[in-house]
């Protein structure tokens, strides 16, 4: 076997692997999963902002006043 034949086989196998990965990534069956996975980094921000909003809604005016007074004493 000549080195050129080995290189050609390598190019063909590399091309087939590339096409297989592209087919897997852009397959219509996986579109929904990839869209959900793309939103994962923002899911934590959403939960954090929801918790902060709930906490501010449940706190009373008294608690806010006490926190302000403590800040002024320092």
């Amino acid at each position: 076997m000549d080195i050129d034949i080995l290189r050609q086989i390598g190019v063909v196998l590399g091309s087939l692997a590339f096409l297989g990965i592209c087919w897997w990534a852009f397959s219509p069956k996986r579109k929904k999963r990839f869209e959900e996975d793309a939103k994962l980094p923002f899911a934590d921000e959403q939960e954090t902002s929801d918790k902060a909003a709930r906490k501010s809604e449940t706190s009373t005016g008294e608690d806010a006043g006490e926190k302000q007074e403590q800040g002024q004493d320092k």
Side-chain angles (χ1 to χ4, degrees):
M1 268 195 168
D2 194 29
I3 189 75
D4 291 330
I5 293 174
L6 291 175
R7 289 180 181 165
Q8 291 172 354
I9 291 171
V11 168
V12 170
L13 291 177
S15 299
L16 289 174
F18 176 76
L19 291 173
I21 291 171
C22 287
W23 174 77
W24 174 79
F26 294 108
S27 176
K29 285 194 271 184
R30 292 175 182 81
K31 183 177 181 178
K32 183 179 178 184
R33 176 180 170 225
F34 287 145
E35 287 176 355
E36 291 173 359
D37 290 347
K39 295 175 186 176
L40 281 177
F42 304 110
D44 188 37
E45 291 178 7
Q46 183 70 23
E47 290 175 8
T48 305
S49 64
D50 288 345
K51 287 179 184 177
R54 282 189 231 130
K55 186 176 180 181
S56 66
E57 288 174 0
T58 58
S59 68
T60 62
E62 278 180 20
D63 294 338
E66 289 176 7
K67 290 178 185 177
Q68 186 178 9
E69 288 175 12
Q70 289 175 355
Q72 291 174 352
D73 290 339
K74 290 183 180 178

